[in-house]
Amino acid sequence: MPETVAAPQPDAGGSSAAPGRRPAGAAAREPGAATVLETLRQLDSGPRGLTEEQAETRQARSGANVLPAYREASWPRVFLRSLRDPFTGVLLCLGLVSAAVASWGTAGVILLLVVVSCALRASGEHRADRSTAALRGLVAGTATVLRRRKEDDAPRARELPVDELVPGDVIRLGPGDLVPADVRLLRSHGLTVHQAVLTGESAPVPKDATGAMVGGGFDSRELCFQGSAVASGSASAVVVATAGRTRLAATHGGRGPAVSRREPSAFDRSVQGISWILIRFMLLTPPLVLMANAALRDRGLETLPFAVAVAVGMTPEMLPVVVTACLARGAALLARGHRVIVKRLPALHDLGAMDVLCLDKTGTLTQDRPVYDRAVDPEGRDDPEVLRWAAINAWWTLQLAELPAPDALDEALLDAADEDDCTACDGVTAVPFDPVRRLATAVVRTPGRLGVHTLVVKGAPETVLERCDLTDEERARLLARAAGYADEGLRVLAIATADIPHARIRPGRGPHLSLPHDRTRTEERGLTCRGFVTLRDALAPTAGDALKVLTDRGVAVRILTGDHPGNAVRACRDLGVPVGPDAVLTADRIDALSDAELTEAASRVAVFARCAPEHKARVVAALRAGGHTVGYLGDGVNDLPALRTADVGIAPRDAVAVARGTADVVLAEKDLTAVGHAITAGRHAGGNITAYLHVTLSSNLGNVIAMLAAGLLLPFLPMLPAQVLAQNLCFDAAQLAFARDRPHPAVLRRPTVLRPRALLRFIVGFGALNAVADLATFGVLALALHGPDALDDEAVFHSGWFTENLVTQALVMLLLRTGRLRAEGGASGPVGWAAGALTAAGLLLPLSPLGSPLGLTPLPALYYVLLASVLALYAAGLMAVRARQRSR
């Protein structure tokens, strides 16, 4: 097969410096816009490569050919960054206020909680950074480079570390090589390149050295880019850009939308909303307490410590600790059990809240390799003879053309065919597939047919049919049939044969007979069309089950691919994903839609095809604008904008380094099953966080309402600041159990989103019910202590209310932790044990030696009997209100 050679080339001494030339390494910004001669002149190089001295000088100036390194933040820096969390900010404000009013115990406890929370978060994120550091390394370790010791020496091919490459180096590329830098081809021979990590295209892209092209985009045939891989053929090329100046590093380095400031994720938005709710309550509570006591009880600033204690009681001090503990435990279990690394702890919540997952087709739904579908004759009828001839062509092309490995399409044909059919013929000569001719040719000898050989041609339908003996009408009909197969998402190969006399085949160079290249087109005429072979993308073995799991859990899947829409639709249908006629959108139609129109379309469209990176990011942004929590699974440079735009970015371990660095979650394999496990862990964590917020905020609000009412009715403070602090410490310690709780299975069936408005409605409703139970305790104390005057006993009132508060909070922990009391197991599990311990503390603390320092005293037996009645009514009310809320 002829090789393509870029022309004109400079003379052999073109690597020497010349007056007026651009400095070495200062290549044009768009190398594809220059001819080879112009490119070499700009690089001050030539086809013989650089001398050792020139290379050393250039490396000293341009640096090592390594991608910009990701620098993990140190543990202290991550710790300080955790202080910016809104929840932590609320606690710090409370701590400062407590210190201002000399409430040192409260201030110390709050400070301890802040330190514990930040330490947990910093440790988890720092551990994730260390885990992902071992996953880096995209480019090849060595490259074949032409170097000379001196100016007049002949160039020698040497294997050099990739980081020693400099602009102007001439390298050689072969099958399986990773392109180590951005290069301009000088010579090429049947070169095709995989650049899915850059563009998302699953099929190899043809490249050749001929001509000049304006622009230097990924579709330039003369340029190969760092991170791509050679699929077939060979080439020599000159390095035009290294390190941070390559296309692969351009997005990494901070240019373009892929690295713009990231929008707040679902977790960030929820945290901000809940924090503002807490801040409003915190700011509102102390003035209300002060004004009420001043107006009705003629108390002044002596109630300020109590007002601060009430504000502290309203605020869930353990919120940062519980949230971080839930997320850190879920992340640790994912890493150990499923090798999924959560780099940013809040991303685990976003996984649980995710209701749309966007992903590419290649590598997730399919295996990035074709498999045989069917073989048909020209009339569309199944014909195994067509497959036999296709396999014969593939087999003898591989054997006689000395290819290092079969093409992916040929491999699929050989897997489907009987090996005995392939070897029944004797191979004579072969010309392998190349992207210019778009076909492969083999000549075989069939035993028993003396003097006659069979020419077998396989390739693109339009190319093969052009060489067949057909009328224009017949050719048009067959092309339409092939186009129909392609529209169904199938890859189509046309197969044709012809008998040629033995005398027309002459010996060629090498150990085999060969069909001379200059006679190839002459012999490949007047062929008989045998039919078509269709192939489809091999489905990922776990994709079908994983998609069903995602659907059952309320996660819709959107396919964002650079591939043909038919291929994506075919993969979806083969996996049982329904795709309607209006559920496919191509890039040109996306460009024609406004943001509002795309937001509406994204809610119903399942497949977005022919997408460039900016299209993927725009679709993800449209889904988020529609109120969805969006995850994006990608592994290439072309996925970077979408990874950053999504609420949670997911990348596999073998993704390009910059994609792994951008992602929030790193998978051991590009497998949807692992995503399902991550969603499960996220919903476990999110369910526990939601249950904690429901329990603690509703209880705290009820206590605050009751305290305000008691402050107006009683001649003394309803609870001493020390008692408020002790009560909070007991409750806070019990709430740590939420980090280890296992939510009800119903939690896994829907996204767990922290919605501030829904949370506010919940805590107001259940807080009011809790306040009613607290106020009912006043009546219980009056009856148990024989008359309303008994309420004047300060210690008795404090003890009764202290006990009731802790017991009711334990009851709320059991009833509201998953939205309903578990039928199976009742109060079992960490939360059940914690609730039991909290109840014991409420009942025993007034009786213990610790009760007296806190101002608590033992209570009469009648109080406990009446309290049990109040709690039974309270539990019934909780269940009734919760059942009504769930029925809406």
Side-chain angles (χ1 to χ4, degrees):
M1 184 182 63
E3 72 174 5
T4 58
V5 181
Q9 295 288 355
D11 58 27
S15 62
S16 61
R21 286 188 182 174
R22 192 172 303 190
R29 292 189 180 182
E30 293 292 348
T35 64
V36 170
L37 179 58
E38 292 168 341
T39 300
L40 289 171
R41 283 178 174 171
Q42 291 164 358
L43 293 164
D44 193 14
S45 183
R48 299 196 306 155
L50 302 174
T51 65
E52 297 291 350
E53 182 180 357
Q54 288 172 330
E56 290 176 5
T57 302
R58 296 185 185 198
Q59 186 158 52
R61 181 165 51 239
S62 61
N65 178 34
V66 293
L67 290 175
Y70 286 93
R71 295 182 180 178
E72 290 84 16
S74 63
W75 192 94
R77 174 172 291 187
V78 178
F79 180 89
L80 293 176
R81 193 168 59 200
S82 302
L83 294 174
R84 296 181 299 181
D85 180 79
F87 290 154
T88 305
V90 171
L91 288 185
L92 287 175
C93 290
L94 280 176
L96 292 175
V97 173
S98 300
V101 298
S103 183
W104 303 111
T106 301
V109 170
I110 290 175
L111 180 60
L112 175 63
L113 294 176
V114 168
V115 171
V116 170
S117 171
C118 292
L120 284 174
R121 176 170 296 185
S123 298
E125 295 189 5
H126 192 63
R127 189 183 309 114
D129 281 343
R130 291 201 311 270
S131 299
T132 54
L135 301 178
R136 301 204 171 95
L138 168 70
V139 297
T142 62
T144 304
V145 187
L146 294 183
R147 288 276 178 89
R148 295 170 291 152
R149 290 185 179 276
K150 296 181 180 180
E151 185 67 36
D152 297 331
D153 289 351
R156 290 193 309 160
R158 300 172 53 194
E159 287 291 321
L160 294 179
V162 166
D163 58 9
E164 293 184 12
L165 289 181
V166 296
D169 263 329
V170 174
I171 65 171
R172 291 176 178 173
L173 298 172
D177 287 345
L178 288 174
V179 180
D182 287 357
V183 299
R184 208 296 187 186
L185 296 177
L186 302 178
R187 298 172 181 266
S188 64
H189 184 85
L191 184 67
T192 61
V193 173
H194 282 294
Q195 51 185 33
V197 297
L198 303 169
T199 65
E201 295 177 272
S202 59
V205 177
K207 300 283 185 177
D208 67 76
T210 57
M213 179 178 179
V214 176
F218 291 130
D219 55 351
S220 172
R221 295 174 69 95
E222 293 79 19
L223 297 177
C224 294
F225 300 95
Q226 184 181 40
S228 55
V230 177
S232 63
S234 60
S236 64
V238 60
V239 174
V240 297
T242 59
R245 293 168 292 281
T246 63
R247 286 298 183 94
L248 178 63
T251 305
H252 180 298
R255 297 182 294 275
V259 289
S260 58
R261 182 174 294 275
R262 190 165 190 166
E263 293 293 323
S265 68
F267 181 82
D268 299 329
R269 296 192 299 271
S270 299
V271 165
Q272 291 172 3
I274 295 171
S275 296
W276 277 111
I277 291 175
L278 297 179
I279 289 171
R280 291 187 184 102
F281 276 118
M282 184 185 72
L283 296 177
L284 183 63
T285 300
L288 283 178
V289 174
L290 290 173
M291 289 188 295
N293 280 276
L296 300 178
R297 291 295 178 180
D298 197 25
R299 299 176 188 141
L301 291 178
E302 67 270 15
T303 60
L304 183 59
F306 173 72
V308 171
V310 172
V312 172
M314 178 61 213
T315 306
E317 301 94 332
M318 291 296 291
L319 180 56
V321 177
V322 171
V323 169
T324 304
C326 287
L327 297 176
R329 184 170 185 270
L333 292 176
L334 269 180
R336 287 199 303 268
H338 305 289
R339 297 196 299 163
V340 175
I341 299 172
V342 180
K343 296 170 52 184
R344 184 177 61 87
L345 284 182
L348 187 62
H349 164 269
D350 294 336
L351 282 168
M354 183 173 67
D355 60 346
V356 175
L357 175 63
C358 298
L359 47 85
D360 196 354
K361 169 184 68 69
T362 305
T364 49
L365 303 183
T366 63
Q367 298 184 59
D368 197 17
R369 66 177 181 86
V371 293
Y372 169 75
D373 181 62
R374 62 186 297 214
V376 297
D377 64 14
E379 301 303 319
R381 298 184 295 264
D382 289 336
D383 186 352
E385 275 295 294
V386 178
L387 173 62
R388 186 177 75 86
W389 283 118
I392 288 173
N393 176 283
W395 174 264
W396 289 112
T397 300
L398 176 64
Q399 299 299 320
L400 299 179
E402 298 180 340
L403 298 178
D407 173 81
L409 298 178
D410 287 347
E411 192 171 17
L413 294 175
L414 294 175
D415 287 342
D418 189 340
E419 186 175 342
D420 292 339
D421 290 339
C422 299
T423 57
C425 301
D426 296 325
V428 177
T429 186
V431 179
F433 177 87
D434 80 77
V436 177
R437 295 174 62 242
R438 303 185 67 201
L439 51 81
T441 302
V443 178
V444 298
R445 180 174 55 247
T446 304
R449 299 188 65 194
L450 300 178
V452 178
H453 296 325
T454 303
L455 182 76
V456 186
V457 177
K458 166 177 60 67
E462 56 272 22
T463 305
V464 173
L465 294 177
E466 180 186 358
R467 291 163 167 76
C468 291
D469 187 10
L470 299 167
T471 65
D472 291 342
E473 182 179 348
E474 290 173 332
R475 186 174 292 106
R477 177 176 58 82
L478 290 175
L479 286 174
R481 185 182 301 281
Y485 293 140
D487 289 339
E488 294 175 6
L490 298 171
R491 301 183 187 184
V492 186
L493 295 174
I495 313 299
T497 62
D499 290 337
I500 56 176
H502 173 272
R504 289 164 60 180
I505 304 298
R506 66 174 176 81
R509 296 182 303 272
H512 303 292
L513 296 174
S514 65
L515 187 67
H517 291 146
D518 57 353
R519 295 179 54 193
T520 297
R521 289 185 175 274
T522 303
E523 303 297 343
E524 294 168 348
R525 294 291 179 182
L527 306 178
T528 300
C529 178
R530 292 284 184 171
F532 302 105
V533 173
T534 60
L535 303 102
R536 54 182 172 79
D537 289 330
L539 301 178
T542 60
D545 293 338
L547 286 174
K548 185 177 184 302
V549 170
L550 292 175
T551 301
D552 292 343
R553 295 183 179 176
V555 179
V557 174
R558 298 288 186 267
I559 311 300
L560 278 61
T561 180
D563 214 339
H564 188 283
N567 294 343
V569 171
R570 176 81 186 204
C572 290
R573 288 175 177 168
D574 289 347
L575 289 168
V577 178
V579 179
D582 297 330
V584 180
L585 209 59
T586 54
D588 55 345
R589 294 175 60 192
I590 293 174
D591 290 333
L593 297 177
S594 66
D595 290 343
E597 291 171 334
L598 183 58
T599 298
E600 189 277 330
S603 63
R604 55 180 173 78
V605 173
V607 175
F608 300 85
R610 298 297 192 195
C611 289
E614 59 271 19
H615 296 122
K616 295 182 179 183
R618 192 168 170 229
V619 170
V620 172
L623 288 166
R624 292 187 67 190
H628 297 284
T629 302
V630 183
Y632 186 88
L633 172 60
D635 60 357
V637 175
N638 62 317
D639 295 313
L640 288 177
L643 283 170
R644 295 189 64 86
T645 304
D647 289 289
V648 54
I650 310 168
R653 179 180 58 184
D654 57 357
V656 297
V658 65
R660 289 197 307 268
T662 301
D664 304 303
V665 177
V666 178
L667 311 177
E669 304 292 341
K670 195 175 182 182
D671 186 357
L672 286 180
T673 303
V675 177
H677 293 314
I679 290 174
T680 299
R683 292 189 178 177
H684 275 160
N688 287 338
I689 292 171
T690 301
Y692 163 77
L693 288 171
H694 284 168
V695 169
T696 188
L697 291 180
S698 58
S699 295
N700 290 356
L701 180 61
N703 289 341
V704 167
I705 294 173
M707 282 187 181
L708 289 174
L712 301 179
L713 297 174
L714 298 174
F716 50 82
L717 293 178
M719 192 173 288
L720 300 177
Q723 294 167 350
V724 174
L725 181 60
Q727 175 184 278
N728 289 342
L729 286 175
C730 291
F731 192 30
D732 291 343
Q735 289 167 334
L736 284 174
F738 281 106
R740 306 189 67 84
D741 193 28
R742 189 171 185 83
H744 194 278
V747 174
L748 303 180
R749 291 198 288 267
R750 60 184 185 275
T752 53
V753 184
L754 295 174
R755 303 187 186 277
R757 291 190 178 182
L759 179 65
L760 180 61
R761 289 194 298 269
F762 185 98
I763 64 175
V764 168
F766 284 92
L769 186 62
N770 185 274
V772 170
D774 286 344
L775 294 174
T777 305
F778 298 168
V780 168
L781 287 170
L783 292 175
L785 303 177
H786 311 293
D789 292 340
L791 292 180
D792 291 338
D793 189 330
E794 217 173 306
V796 170
F797 182 89
H798 290 162
S799 302
W801 202 10
F802 181 89
T803 297
E804 184 267 346
N805 274 341
L806 291 184
V807 176
T808 54
Q809 286 175 339
L811 188 61
V812 169
M813 286 178 65
L814 292 177
L815 297 182
L816 297 187
R817 79 186 207 238
T818 58
R820 63 182 182 184
L821 184 63
R822 289 187 183 180
E824 69 284 0
S828 61
V831 172
W833 287 105
L838 187 62
T839 301
L843 295 174
L844 300 178
L845 200 56
L847 306 175
S848 71
L850 295 176
S852 180
L854 292 174
L856 302 176
T857 187
L859 294 163
L862 180 60
Y863 166 78
Y864 295 104
V865 174
L866 296 175
L867 178 62
S869 302
V870 171
L871 294 177
L873 293 174
Y874 177 53
L878 276 178
M879 297 292 286
V881 174
R882 186 57 174 155
R884 181 180 178 184
Q885 187 182 68
R886 290 176 60 86
S887 65
R888 291 180 180 177

